[in-house]
Amino acid sequence: MAKKFKKRINIENATSFKLEYNDASGELKEKEFTSYKLMEQFHGRQEAFLYLDLRRFAKVEGKWHRFLKLRSPFVFQEELDFINKTFSENNDSENLQKDSIEENKTQ
């Protein structure tokens, strides 16, 4: 039997980008951008606030695909473990931020 090859997703073909994040209110929000550069500029401006970026998506051929931005083209086992955890977890980071907000309210 011949193997069926999956078509590779090329981020250069993306028509828009989406960022899911939590802000100071702790609620999940999303924002769409027409380019990756605009999304990164928004992300860079938010770091001074209570802001936690959760997931990034690129729309390629009409379908949203989740992706991560890597710090380096070389991926070591530690980063691989982080990537696997990020894509498989049910986002514990949302719970962590909610816990810290609740903790600040009680103080």
Side-chain angles (χ1 to χ4, degrees):
M1 282 212 246
K3 289 184 179 180
K4 187 174 181 179
F5 292 101
K6 282 189 170 186
K7 186 176 180 181
R8 185 171 182 193
I9 301 166
N10 192 344
I11 200 151
E12 284 83 23
N13 294 337
T15 55
S16 56
F17 295 86
K18 180 168 54 173
L19 179 66
E20 289 184 351
Y21 63 96
N22 283 339
D23 63 3
S25 69
E27 68 181 71
L28 178 66
K29 295 187 175 186
E30 64 180 47
K31 188 167 179 71
E32 284 190 38
F33 303 89
T34 55
S35 72
Y36 180 75
K37 183 178 179 180
L38 289 173
M39 183 173 74
E40 285 302 310
Q41 287 174 341
F42 172 82
H43 172 69
R45 290 190 307 266
Q46 300 304 311
E47 291 183 344
F49 306 103
L50 275 175
Y51 161 85
L52 180 64
D53 66 316
L54 301 173
R55 294 181 274 292
R56 296 165 189 247
F57 298 89
K59 193 172 195 177
V60 180
E61 296 178 3
K63 185 178 176 188
W64 288 107
H65 299 275
R66 186 171 172 203
F67 72 95
L68 284 176
K69 178 183 168 187
L70 299 176
R71 295 174 285 187
S72 166
F74 304 101
V75 179
F76 293 94
Q77 186 63 47
E78 292 169 350
E79 285 105 1
L80 208 74
D81 295 341
F82 172 76
I83 292 168
N84 286 330
K85 182 181 176 203
T86 300
F87 278 103
S88 63
E89 71 184 3
N90 200 0
N91 216 334
D92 291 336
S93 56
E94 290 175 330
N95 298 330
L96 287 174
Q97 187 180 31
K98 287 179 185 175
D99 290 346
S100 69
I101 290 170
E102 291 300 318
E103 189 176 297
N104 289 337
K105 286 181 183 176
T106 58
Q107 292 177 351

